[in-house]
């Protein structure tokens, strides 16, 4: 019998997914398709924010949305009916996050090469989506006022991984004990370079500033030479 | 309950490693799981037998080594276990700290031939 060897590999468990994401990111860059990974808790107002954002940008950009949910297609229909852009529904089959392989399937289904801007609406969850690189150009997190200003303390990993934080439902600030300054301090401690936009997709407050930031990011991406 | 997805990542990574390095059998996999990694060893163990069915690892044992969540106090620089002390320095009661270890989630080694 052959002798057993102990092989030290010290490999991060996420390394496999990270390699897939690197390949996909390169494909998206070569094709100039800007992919945004949108994460949040359930009920933070992701879909409402998206509908508002799409309607502001759809005349200047070719947009597609990939909706990921454990089940159902209610969000996909809402977006389709309210914006008319291409929507694809992914079902994670019970899994609490998307990995790069699932994102790639979703992108191929919509023939992503036809689009300038693709949003993947991740599963509503502040924990595991943070660990999986999908190959996105931008990671965006939504935190709604009713969820509370302590979330960065409870889910630190998510807040360190994102490029931009949208604080949604800002129109409800007066009825909740939500300390915006405390939130900002807690978030910046974890992530000093994060962009923070207070928004309300209902009253339109802050939506213009957010969309300007997004369009600027997409323009920079399209101009960039990734070779 | 994200452990199933993680175990599947572990299996994919090890299978790839086996192919690349022409290993025929892996007797055991040693994972290093930090107390602050948001991964629960118990759930990893629970889902592992189901995840390895129909893979090259169906007879491979899973061994988990836990590493402590250690932080250094930002004020008095004492090192202490964050979990046991609820993130509060037992010397000076400061709640400010920097993490030293405990966030790792690694495939540490394979016992193979």
């Amino acid at each position: 019998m052959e002798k057993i060897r102990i092989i030290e590999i010290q490999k991060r468990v996420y390394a496999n997914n990270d390699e897939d994401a690197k390949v996909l990111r390169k494909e998206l860059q070569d094709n100039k398709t800007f992919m945004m990974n949108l994460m949040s808790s359930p009920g933070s107002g992701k879909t409402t924010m998206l509908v508002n954002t799409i309607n502001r940008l759809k005349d200047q950009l070719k947009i597609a949305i990939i909706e990921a949910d454990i089940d159902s297609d209610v969000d996909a229909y809402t977006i389709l009916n309210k914006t008319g852009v291409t929507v694809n529904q992914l079902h994670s089959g019970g899994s609490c996050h998307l990995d790069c392989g699932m994102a790639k399937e979703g992108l191929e289904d919509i023939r992503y090469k036809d689009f300038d801007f693709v949003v993947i609406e991740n599963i509503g969850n502040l924990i595991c989506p943070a660990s999986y690189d999908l190959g996105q150009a931008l990671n965006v997190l939504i935190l709604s006022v009713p969820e509370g200003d302590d979330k960065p303390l409870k889910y630190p990993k998510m807040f360190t991984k994102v490029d931009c934080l949208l604080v949604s439902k800002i129109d409800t600030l007066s009825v909740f004990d939500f300390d915006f300054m405390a939130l900002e301090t807690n978030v910046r401690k974890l992530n000093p370079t994060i962009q923070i936009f207070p928004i309300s997709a209902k009253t339109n407050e802050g939506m213009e500033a957010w969309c300007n930031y997004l369009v600027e990011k997409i323009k920079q991406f399209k101009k960039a030479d990734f070779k | 309950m994200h452990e199933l997805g993680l175990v599947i990542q572990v299996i994919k990574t090890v299978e790839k490693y086996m192919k690349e390095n022409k290993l025929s059998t892996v007797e055991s996999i040693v994972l290093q799981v930090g107390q602050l990694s948001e991964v629960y060893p118990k759930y990893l163990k629970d889902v592992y037998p189901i995840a390895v069915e129909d893979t090259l690892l169906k007879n491979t044992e899973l061994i988990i080594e836990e590493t402590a969540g250690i932080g250094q106090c930002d004020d008095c620089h004492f090192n202490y276990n964050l979990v046991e002390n609820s993130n509060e320095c037992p010397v000076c009661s400061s709640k400010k700290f920097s993490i030293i270890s405990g966030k790792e989630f690694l495939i540490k080694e394979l016992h193979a031939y």
Side-chain angles (χ1 to χ4, degrees), chain B residues 71-80 87-89 91-98:
Chain B
Q72 184 175 61
C73 176
D74 284 350
D75 292 317
C76 76
H77 306 295
F78 181 73
N79 290 355
Y80 63 98
N87 300 348
E88 186 181 313
C89 176
V91 174
C92 75
S93 301
S94 167
K95 290 200 167 200
K96 288 186 211 150
F97 59 86
S98 307

Side-chain angles (χ1 to χ4, degrees), chain A residues 116-130:
Chain A
D116 303 305
F117 177 41
V118 177
V119 181
I120 296 201
E121 195 181 321
N122 215 313
I123 312 279
N125 171 357
L126 291 182
I127 309 165
C128 11

Side-chain angles (χ1 to χ4, degrees), chain A residues 89-112:
Chain A
Q89 177 77 53
L90 284 182
H91 284 157
S92 69
S95 177
C96 48
H97 61 268
L98 290 180
D99 64 22
C100 184
M102 295 187 235
K104 191 161 196 263
E105 273 175 40
L107 285 166
E108 280 167 358
D109 276 354
I110 56 163
R111 291 200 299 273
Y112 74 87

Side-chain angles (χ1 to χ4, degrees), chain A residues 40-58:
Chain A
S40 83
S41 318
S44 64
K46 277 201 293 294
T47 306
T48 313
M49 185 288 289
L50 261 184
V51 165
N52 191 318
T53 303
I54 297 163
N55 284 331
R56 286 163 187 267
L57 305 180
K58 67 181 178 191

Side-chain angles (χ1 to χ4, degrees), chain A residues 143-161:
Chain A
L143 177 75
S144 65
V145 166
E147 290 170 68
D149 53 45
D150 57 352
K151 291 298 166 289
L153 304 174
K154 292 186 174 177
Y155 305 97
K157 189 168 186 182
M158 179 58 85
F159 287 84
T160 57
K161 285 279 172 130

